[in-house]
Amino acid sequence: MTSSSASATSSAREAEQSVTNRLGLWVFLATEVLFFGGMFVAYVIYRHTYPEAFRAGARLMEFGLGTTNTAVLLVSSFFMALGDRAARAGDRRQLRRCLLCVATLGVVFLGIKAVEYHSKFADHLVPGPDFSGTRGPLEIFMTLYFAMTGLHALHMLFGLGAISWLLWRNAGGRPVPVEPVAMVGLYWHFVDCVWIFLYPLFYLPGR
Amino acid sequence: MKASRDLLLVLAALLALLALSAASTLLPPAPWKTAAGLAIAMMKLAVIALYFMRLREHRGLTRVFAAAGLFWLGLLAVLVLSDYLTRGRLH
């Protein structure tokens, strides 16, 4: 085998690997859609059953913080896409900058979420024996709020772990991690998309 | 930065959609607003999937895989809600 045909074979193999990685990650995301999907369907059922409690519950949310957090995630997705492009261009420094921006925005998002959670705990709006609101349907709304945004925040934490891993992989010596950046990028964008639906369901009703 | 102008435009579109969603709260509450909020969310999802998740370039099988998740979710929603949302109306 000549060296040029060997390199052609190897680049064909890499392209094939890239397609396989991508399809595999989309399958994983499909399972994630269903993971969150069950909760979204539960939300629809309860909102249909208790529309007034859901409007009252949404009015307890900090609308400004929710809107800010949506913007934070959208900008973080932009930097992830920019980083993906930098990785494919082999631009290690630009990739590092982008990943640091994504990680910072991810931490800002979780920080704002923590402020919101704290005020709910302080106001005794966490379902349980100390619940200060009207018992019943409002508690169902708050349970769904904590379950869905909590599961989303957990995904953000995993995402931040993956971004840290990419920063470590990108730190000199080894080739630019093109495929890992693409895979983590798809996951990060997916988590962003989940929040995009949580925002109108928890912050907008009754306003 | 010139090469990333397209991505900046996508970000601007996403933030404009968010502003539209947030601005809807200035109008008096109405039942159609939830539908409008979800429609805007769908648009954001489409923009992110096409441009950030690169489904515009990756056609064919990748799109089938991406659509599969939404298809199964649709099936789950339709079959569950066709029960709950019609209860009490069939007597």
Side-chain angles (χ1 to χ4, degrees), chain A residues 22-23 26-27 30 33 37 45 47-48 63 70-71 78 81-82 84-85 88 186 189 193 196 199 204 207, chain B residues 3-4 6-8 11 18 21 25 33-34 41 45 48 52-54 58 61-62 65-66 69 73 80 84-85:
Chain A
R22 192 163 70 225
L23 293 181
W26 276 106
V27 170
V33 167
I45 292 168
R47 178 153 175 197
H48 177 76
F63 174 69
T70 311
F78 161 76
L82 204 60
D84 180 43
R85 190 172 280 184
R88 280 180 285 134
L186 282 175
H189 296 310
C193 288
I196 282 172
Y199 172 67
L204 297 183
R207 287 182 206 273
Chain B
S4 53
D6 56 337
L7 291 179
L8 272 171
L11 175 63
L18 171 62
S21 204
T25 58
K33 282 170 71 177
T34 297
L45 172 71
I48 289 178
F52 287 171
M53 299 171 98
R54 296 173 63 206
H58 299 147
L61 207 50
T62 309
F65 275 52
L73 176 63
V80 172
Y84 278 97
L85 304 188

Side-chain angles (χ1 to χ4, degrees), chain B residues 9-68:
Chain B
L9 277 175
V10 172
L11 175 63
L14 288 169
L15 291 175
L17 284 169
L18 171 62
L20 194 64
S21 204
S24 75
T25 58
L26 299 172
L27 301 169
W32 59 265
K33 282 170 71 177
T34 297
L38 287 175
I40 292 173
M42 293 281 194
M43 284 185 238
K44 284 190 215 155
L45 172 71
V47 170
I48 289 178
L50 284 173
Y51 294 94
F52 287 171
M53 299 171 98
R54 296 173 63 206
L55 281 185
R56 211 166 72 102
E57 299 161 55
H58 299 147
R59 290 158 186 273
L61 207 50
T62 309
R63 286 193 185 182
V64 173
F65 275 52

Side-chain angles (χ1 to χ4, degrees), chain A residues 11-203:
Chain A
S11 95
R13 199 173 293 148
E14 270 170 31
E16 200 173 293
Q17 182 117 47
S18 169
V19 174
T20 312
N21 287 344
R22 192 163 70 225
L23 293 181
L25 209 110
W26 276 106
V27 170
F28 168 65
L29 293 186
T31 69
E32 287 275 83
V33 167
L34 289 174
F35 187 21
F36 279 98
M39 294 176 128
F40 277 101
V41 172
Y43 174 97
V44 175
I45 292 168
Y46 283 115
R47 178 153 175 197
H48 177 76
T49 316
Y50 307 112
E52 198 40 61
F54 272 56
R55 280 194 286 274
R59 279 194 291 266
L60 295 171
M61 299 294 144
E62 278 117 313
F63 174 69
L65 292 182
T67 307
T68 308
N69 251 353
T70 311
V72 166
L73 276 194
L74 291 175
V75 177
S76 83
S77 260
F78 161 76
F79 280 112
M80 194 70 235
L82 204 60
D84 180 43
R85 190 172 280 184
R88 280 180 285 134
D91 189 344
R92 199 187 288 280
R93 283 185 56 198
Q94 169 81 341
L95 172 60
R96 184 168 177 276
R97 274 196 295 265
C98 289
L99 290 175
L100 284 173
C101 286
V102 175
T104 307
L105 290 165
V107 170
V108 168
F109 176 92
L110 288 175
I112 292 178
K113 204 80 217 111
V115 169
E116 284 189 81
Y117 277 3
H118 179 262
S119 80
K120 297 290 166 287
F121 272 90
D123 295 343
H124 297 282
L125 285 171
V126 182
D130 291 336
F131 193 67
S132 66
T134 332
R135 305 209 74 109
L138 185 62
E139 269 183 305
I140 295 178
F141 174 85
M142 292 310 294
T143 302
L144 283 168
Y145 166 74
F146 279 109
M148 293 174 84
T149 59
L151 187 63
H152 176 267
L154 203 61
H155 277 76
M156 291 287 298
L157 278 178
F158 282 122
L160 282 173
I163 301 281
S164 315
W165 173 68
L166 287 179
L167 279 164
W168 174 72
R169 281 281 311 258
N170 188 44
R174 287 189 284 177
V176 177
V178 181
E179 280 298 308
V181 169
M183 297 305 106
V184 173
L186 282 175
Y187 173 82
W188 190 268
H189 296 310
F190 164 79
V191 177
D192 185 6
C193 288
V194 171
W195 180 264
I196 282 172
F197 284 90
L198 293 177
Y199 172 67
L201 293 182
F202 285 106
Y203 292 87

